[in-house]
Amino acid sequence: MFRKLRDVQGQAVTIYLDGVAVLAEENESVAAVLLRQEQIWSRTTPVSGALRAPYCMMGVCFDCLATVDGVSSIQTCLTPVRDGMRIERQLGRPELSS
């Protein structure tokens, strides 16, 4: 589990990770918040179900995918948090919208 190295500089916001309220700093990435949780993983792979977590933190590896506000396969390392945001860990194959 990671922790912030500095005191909060931005405004504190509340996001919901799998339905649980989590405090975050305005404009930090969703992936940074995930890495501070006890369970840092953001998704499971479609074939084996292996846990994946944020890795590159710059949008290259796609290991940080999660469902954000009902939209699946969002790169959390490139997505800033905002108050009231709902993040769900993505299990297996993403849901496709019609």
Side-chain angles (χ1 to χ4, degrees):
M1 184 168 60
F2 292 83
R3 63 180 174 80
K4 291 182 81 66
L5 292 177
R6 61 181 175 77
D7 292 331
V8 175
Q9 299 291 318
Q11 182 177 354
V13 296
T14 302
I15 63 171
Y16 298 89
L17 176 58
D18 294 331
V20 177
V22 174
L23 287 178
E25 184 178 334
E26 188 175 50
N27 292 321
E28 72 177 317
S29 72
V30 172
V33 176
L34 281 167
L35 288 171
R36 289 198 309 272
Q37 304 310 303
E38 189 171 321
Q39 295 182 3
I40 66 171
W41 63 278
S42 59
R43 72 180 181 99
T44 60
T45 58
V47 176
S48 69
L51 299 177
R52 307 304 293 174
Y55 179 69
C56 76
M57 299 300 284
M58 60 183 186
V60 176
C61 73
F62 296 92
D63 279 338
C64 67
L65 298 179
T67 300
V68 177
D69 291 332
V71 180
S72 62
S73 297
I74 298 296
Q75 287 180 276
T76 61
C77 66
L78 301 177
T79 306
V81 297
R82 64 184 177 285
D83 197 40
M85 180 180 267
R86 298 197 171 274
I87 297 108
E88 296 171 6
R89 290 180 171 99
Q90 191 165 290
L91 305 176
R93 191 175 310 241
E95 294 293 321
L96 300 175
S97 60
S98 52

